[in-house]
Amino acid sequence: MTCAMADYVFSMKGLTKVHEPDKKIVKDLYLSFIPGAKIGIIGVNGTGKSTILRIMAGVDTNFTGETWTRPGVKVGYLSQEPDLGDAKTVKEAVEVAVQPIRDILDQFETLSMKLGEPMSDEEMTKLLDKQGALQDKIDAVDGWNLDHMLELAMDALRLPPADADPSTLSGGEKRRVALCRLLLEKPEILLLDEPTNHL
């Protein structure tokens, strides 16, 4: 029995990756993944495992062949050496994942403050409509419990203290922080490049 393309979350056809000078890392590769699949790519160093993951994540676009990700599917990628950006604390590094929710909460709070100011009935109605729309968005993602959700996620992955400086973390600690951030983004495809045992 064959599956239609729509049944897959990701496919690659005839994928070939060449490094200069003329060294083929990946040659004529065909892969397709169904939703919920858990797949490991195993091989000795230099056989293209990380290359395949970078291509799947959309990080590496310099290849021949085709790749396809189901429309609307979010891909999350944890590299071997994750970049935590310029965050000053562990919590700040993790919160990047939920910034859109934080922004909506901030907008809601700003509108709530404005409701205490003098305004016409028409302005009040517009403001209440905007606030209602924001509240619906917050309810849909359980945004009211955002801080509790962050605390639970950070505790579950045994992250360093929330106020710790990311630049002082070990490689393993940085990977746990990056993984926590990635999981909070709720990707449908999660790509882990050489995850260590405790992950």
Side-chain angles (χ1 to χ4, degrees):
M1 185 172 118
T2 59
C3 290
M5 183 67 86
D7 293 332
Y8 297 120
V9 289
F10 179 87
S11 289
M12 57 175 64
K13 290 171 50 180
L15 188 124
T16 298
K17 172 72 178 180
V18 179
H19 281 312
E20 299 302 329
D22 229 19
K23 180 184 177 189
K24 287 185 179 174
I25 300 296
V26 178
K27 180 182 177 184
D28 202 26
L29 184 63
Y30 287 75
L31 291 173
S32 292
F33 302 107
I34 58 172
K38 294 172 182 64
I39 296 165
I41 300 175
I42 300 169
V44 297
N45 288 344
T47 54
K49 301 183 301 294
S50 294
T51 299
I52 291 169
L53 292 178
R54 283 196 301 272
I55 289 171
M56 289 181 68
V59 175
D60 186 343
T61 56
N62 187 20
F63 58 86
T64 58
E66 298 175 37
T67 63
W68 174 87
T69 305
R70 181 189 288 175
V73 167
K74 184 191 293 185
V75 178
Y77 171 59
L78 180 68
S79 66
Q80 291 182 39
E81 302 293 332
D83 179 9
L84 298 180
D86 56 1
K88 301 291 187 284
T89 65
V90 165
K91 185 174 183 183
E92 193 178 305
V94 171
E95 277 194 323
V96 169
V98 293
Q99 192 59 51
I101 302 173
R102 182 71 71 199
D103 291 343
I104 294 171
L105 287 167
D106 290 345
Q107 290 173 40
F108 184 89
E109 188 175 336
T110 300
L111 286 182
S112 297
M113 297 294 285
K114 282 187 179 178
L115 286 172
E117 300 172 5
M119 65 183 75
S120 68
D121 288 347
E122 185 180 346
E123 289 172 325
M124 176 70 78
T125 299
K126 284 182 181 177
L127 207 60
L128 287 170
D129 287 345
K130 282 184 185 177
Q131 190 184 45
L134 288 172
Q135 182 164 348
D136 289 343
K137 289 180 181 179
I138 295 168
D139 289 343
V141 294
D142 195 22
W144 304 114
N145 294 314
L146 181 61
D147 289 322
H148 180 62
M149 179 177 65
L150 283 170
E151 188 179 318
L152 284 177
M154 292 171 70
D155 185 54
L157 284 167
R158 296 196 229 17
L159 298 194
D163 60 353
D165 181 352
S167 67
T168 66
L169 303 182
S170 70
E173 288 172 331
K174 285 182 181 176
R175 286 176 66 78
R176 287 204 307 275
V177 171
L179 179 62
C180 183
R181 180 171 66 190
L182 194 57
L183 292 174
L184 286 167
E185 291 173 359
K186 299 181 179 176
E188 286 81 10
I189 297 176
L190 181 62
L191 306 172
L192 306 178
D193 194 351
E194 293 202 12
T196 49
N197 298 346
H198 63 276
L199 294 183

